[in-house]
Amino acid sequence: MNEEKNAYYIQVGNGEIMRRATDSPWNFKIYANDEEITALRELFDANYSVEWQNFFRAHVPYVQYHYDRQNDGYDGNMKQIYEMIYELGDDEAKEHIKGMWGL
């Protein structure tokens, strides 16, 4: 079953997924089906939750960044987000992400 893919515009910084390029500034254009968009939305939502955990943890001065589970989770989610954007993205998105990762 080959579900139809639609164009979406992604703003990574605030986790926005838009159907129209004119709705808001965006970073990447992707083509995805409903299932793929749901998976991407879940990754953005997970990072939003981790950001709140990090906010509260930031008030505990003895925790170092590289020993922090929440930061590891955030970093892992961001890696998955960029991997999805790379897989679903247009040529410009793919080239940009290759440049970010030094590929």
Side-chain angles (χ1 to χ4, degrees):
M1 181 166 120
N2 192 1
E3 194 175 336
E4 180 182 344
K5 294 193 179 218
N6 296 301
Y8 292 91
Y9 301 87
I10 310 301
Q11 170 53 266
V12 174
N14 60 12
E16 279 188 273
I17 300 172
M18 300 158 283
R19 290 294 305 262
R20 293 186 305 269
T22 57
D23 286 348
S24 184
W26 51 275
N27 307 110
F28 301 103
K29 181 178 183 180
I30 66 170
Y31 295 94
N33 61 37
D34 291 343
E35 184 178 299
E36 291 163 334
I37 285 300
T38 298
L40 185 57
R41 168 58 41 221
E42 288 172 354
L43 287 170
F44 278 128
D45 289 347
N47 264 6
Y48 180 75
S49 174
V50 170
E51 285 174 346
W52 276 105
Q53 292 171 23
N54 283 342
F55 171 78
F56 293 114
R57 191 230 11 111
H59 294 87
V60 180
Y62 61 85
V63 178
Q64 295 179 352
Y65 179 88
H66 58 281
Y67 295 121
D68 187 20
R69 238 184 11 241
Q70 286 86 10
N71 283 327
D72 292 342
Y74 182 88
D75 293 346
N77 285 348
M78 288 306 295
K79 183 175 186 288
Q80 289 180 8
I81 287 168
Y82 279 109
E83 286 173 351
M84 278 194 79
I85 292 171
Y86 181 83
E87 291 299 319
L88 302 171
D90 63 5
D91 290 341
E92 188 175 337
K94 290 180 189 305
E95 289 303 314
H96 185 85
I97 291 171
K98 279 182 188 176
M100 288 173 55
W101 289 346
L103 302 174

